[in-house]
Amino acid sequence: MDLTITGTGTVQTSRVVVMLPYPLEGHINPMLQLANILHSKGFSITVLHTRFNAPNPTNHPHFNFIPIPGVAGDDLPVSDTGNLIRLMHVLNDECLGPVRDCLERLLSEDAGVACFVTDAQWFAVQKVADGLKVPRVVYWTSSVSAFLSFSAVPLLRHMGCFRRFSDEEKKSEALVTGLEPLKVRDLSKFLTSDPEGASKLMELMVQGMKPAQAVIWNTFKELEELQLVNLHRDFPNRHFLIGPFHKYFPALSTSLLTRDENCISWLDKQAPKSVLYVSFGSLAGVEESQFLEIAWGLANSKQPFLWVVRPGSVKGSEWLEPLPDGFLERIAEGRGYIVKWAPQRKILAHHSIGGFWTHSGWNSTLESVCEGVPMICSPSFGDQLPNARNVSDVWKIGVELRNGFERGEIESVIKRVMVDEDGLEMKDRIMNLKEKANLCLKKGGSSYSSLEDLVKFILSC
Ligand code: UDP
């Protein structure tokens, strides 16, 4: 093994980590953060990527980028879960051969490949890694809790959950046995409008992870301690919990979309903890009627807000056309600000932010925890459901919107989180988690130590 220890304690190694990110915003960002973490530990990084949603190599001049030749995917708009499911099949089918060719070439060049780190959504590439005898390490982009919910899909099937749910069940507060803290009313969204298609993929991801040599998690031990017992019992892989990734290099820019930085000077003018930040991530969309309820709920709450409306995220519209007459003029008077895409981490860290209305994607949830910002949760599908359930029922650092998008409820929940006593208690609890997130990355902390173990593990591959 070719390595030296520098004066700073970093291992300089000629070993290469080959990484295969999944080409969606919420996946590429943390994978590139992980790449930077491993690079800071002395590894060389080679990124295999699709042409579809390709990362910008000029932002990462220290990495070697290799486009996977001849792979489609760019003709599939990812605006609904049906297309997300199709995209995952198309990519896994079409990429297998080209990924094998790329990896084989790197091996034949004797490039010193130590291991192959792939997003769990590349479930089919285990075959490639096995065929070429390269250790595969899976990177799971969501929480441990979400992973365990995915792994319980056979149980849900056995329980007869693959059917239309009655209106009563869609309101049921009963816990799902074996899948706590999920409630019966979470199930229809968790399984999406295509339960067969979604659950098949969940199973493929879980099965695809089992033979992997190790799994890297963007979470930290203190946050998901309860779930870890079940994880270690049911999945005896090596597990490395080294998150939150984005805290290692706070200034690192990995976003595929252009952010509107002008909103920061608007935030500067707002009172401390007064602004609600609203964003539903890079994929979730809403119907026009829901969009109007959101707009009226925000307006009626009388609370300042910064709202990300992604072009195309309102079904049937380009951007803000469905807003009621006079709405934009009213918010132009100072109480609201709308952008197409925002510098989210900077916003959450801003002193004027008092709450985050989110779709409960894992990156957003973790970023909010790290800045101590209580949440309002509107999960749409899949892992967002267990994430939101943890936020509202387990960690008690946020509130869920129980009735979808309904202006009266939106107004009262905003008040609850931003103004009421209840919100202050959530704030205390999330500040406690923020402190734990900071500590886990310090020398001797859980993620710090786990990263040291991961480095040793990769060097031993
Ligand atoms: N994000 C951003 N600007 C925005 C909205 C989101 O930079 O206006 C980033 C956010 O910081 C997070 C990612 O996009 O890192 C969204 O990931 P998440 O897992 O929360 O949701 P997804 O988009 O995958 O549904």
Side-chain angles (χ1 to χ4, degrees):
M1 189 185 304
D2 183 10
L3 64 90
T4 51
I5 310 286
T6 69
T8 57
T10 306
V11 180
Q12 291 294 324
T13 164
S14 57
R15 308 295 310 267
V16 176
V17 176
V18 181
M19 307 188 82
L20 179 62
Y22 192 76
L24 293 177
E25 180 82 23
H27 292 251
I28 285 198
N29 285 350
M31 186 65 123
L32 289 172
Q33 289 158 2
L34 174 61
N36 277 279
I37 295 168
L38 294 177
H39 184 263
S40 75
K41 293 290 167 192
F43 293 102
S44 300
I45 304 293
T46 293
V47 179
L48 304 186
H49 64 87
T50 56
R51 287 180 204 281
F52 164 68
N53 273 347
N56 182 353
T58 55
N59 289 341
H60 313 275
H62 45 308
F63 298 162
N64 175 27
F65 285 90
I66 302 181
I68 303 166
V71 171
D74 39 1
D75 51 343
L76 285 172
V78 286
S79 53
D80 64 43
T81 46
N83 278 341
L84 285 173
I85 289 171
R86 269 204 302 286
L87 179 72
M88 223 189 292
H89 283 298
V90 167
L91 289 176
N92 274 280
D93 285 351
E94 291 194 4
C95 283
L96 222 52
V99 166
R100 182 185 299 109
D101 293 345
C102 291
L103 206 51
E104 204 162 20
R105 207 184 70 222
L106 285 168
L107 292 170
S108 71
E109 286 166 359
D110 205 12
V113 174
C115 67
F116 187 31
V117 179
T118 87
D119 191 302
Q121 296 206 2
W122 289 109
F123 51 81
V125 300
Q126 183 69 43
K127 272 185 253 166
V128 172
D130 288 345
L132 296 173
K133 299 199 171 27
V134 178
R136 173 173 176 245
V137 176
V138 167
Y139 161 52
W140 178 260
T141 40
S142 194
S143 56
V144 172
S145 196
F147 173 77
L148 292 174
S149 305
F150 281 25
S151 75
V153 159
L155 175 70
L156 289 177
R157 195 183 296 277
H158 180 72
M159 287 159 68
C161 294
F162 288 74
R163 58 181 165 80
R164 280 181 74 83
F165 289 88
S166 67
D167 288 345
E168 209 171 298
E169 283 171 317
K170 284 187 186 164
K171 291 188 190 139
S172 170
E173 293 293 327
L175 292 168
V176 185
T177 315
L179 252 114
E180 302 85 352
L182 275 190
K183 293 182 173 175
V184 170
R185 66 191 173 83
D186 298 326
L187 288 178
S188 62
K189 280 188 180 176
F190 175 65
L191 291 167
T192 80
S193 53
D194 175 9
E196 282 301 336
S199 62
K200 190 169 167 222
L201 279 181
M202 291 176 187
E203 287 185 282
L204 283 168
M205 278 191 266
V206 172
Q207 292 309 321
M209 206 185 90
K210 279 190 170 161
Q213 260 79 352
V215 188
I216 299 175
W217 301 85
N218 184 12
T219 186
F220 57 102
K221 180 171 159 263
E222 292 73 8
L223 188 64
E224 300 212 71
E225 202 120 46
L226 292 174
Q227 284 79 14
L228 291 179
V229 178
N230 292 348
L231 179 72
H232 288 295
R233 185 196 59 209
D234 296 342
F235 297 89
N237 310 63
R238 293 287 306 271
H239 295 284
F240 299 98
L241 282 72
I242 63 167
F245 292 179
H246 69 278
K247 296 280 290 175
Y248 288 79
F249 304 102
L252 183 71
S253 163
T254 50
S255 187
L256 293 167
L257 300 163
T258 309
R259 300 158 186 169
D260 181 341
E261 300 273 345
N262 294 326
C263 55
I264 300 291
S265 42
W266 179 81
L267 284 180
D268 289 341
K269 294 186 207 115
Q270 309 304 318
K273 309 267 172 278
S274 66
V275 179
L276 178 71
Y277 170 58
V278 187
S279 169
F280 303 128
S282 62
L283 299 168
V286 290
E287 302 291 339
E288 185 174 320
S289 57
Q290 296 174 317
F291 182 64
L292 288 176
E293 291 300 303
I294 295 170
W296 283 120
L298 287 172
N300 296 345
S301 77
K302 308 266 189 303
Q303 205 67 37
F305 61 87
L306 168 58
W307 183 11
V308 179
V309 182
R310 252 185 315 109
S313 63
V314 184
K315 288 189 188 125
S317 305
E318 298 238 322
W319 194 35
L320 302 176
E321 311 85 91
L323 281 179
D325 283 347
F327 187 88
L328 285 176
E329 289 72 14
R330 273 173 66 184
I331 67 165
E333 286 159 17
R335 213 157 35 74
Y337 199 100
I338 301 182
V339 291
K340 292 181 173 169
W341 193 248
Q344 178 162 305
R345 296 205 311 265
K346 227 187 253 181
I347 288 168
L348 289 171
H350 197 278
H351 59 81
S352 69
I353 295 295
F356 179 14
W357 183 3
T358 170
H359 68 309
S360 301
W362 184 240
N363 295 295
S364 295
T365 305
L366 208 51
E367 289 162 13
S368 211
V369 165
C370 288
E371 297 304 339
V373 179
M375 285 164 264
I376 296 172
C377 303
S378 290
S380 309
F381 57 84
D383 69 314
Q384 298 160 16
L385 275 296
N387 294 341
R389 198 46 76 205
N390 275 316
V391 166
S392 62
D393 295 11
V394 179
W395 305 320
K396 301 186 196 306
I397 53 174
V399 181
E400 62 162 328
L401 275 174
R402 296 167 53 103
N403 303 312
F405 297 103
E406 192 274 305
R407 67 184 79 179
E409 189 192 14
I410 292 170
E411 186 187 337
S412 69
V413 163
I414 292 176
K415 255 190 83 229
R416 195 172 149 201
V417 171
M418 302 288 291
V419 185
D420 292 353
E421 183 68 23
D422 223 12
L424 290 177
E425 287 169 13
M426 289 175 215
K427 177 82 187 167
D428 278 353
R429 285 189 284 265
I430 200 164
M431 287 305 285
N432 185 26
L433 287 180
K434 174 184 173 173
E435 178 66 17
K436 287 183 175 161
N438 284 333
L439 286 175
C440 77
L441 296 173
K442 295 213 156 74
K443 195 167 184 229
S446 61
S447 292
Y448 181 99
S449 307
S450 192
L451 177 57
E452 287 194 325
D453 291 344
L454 174 63
V455 170
K456 284 184 210 138
F457 171 80
I458 296 176
L459 287 172
S460 72
C461 280

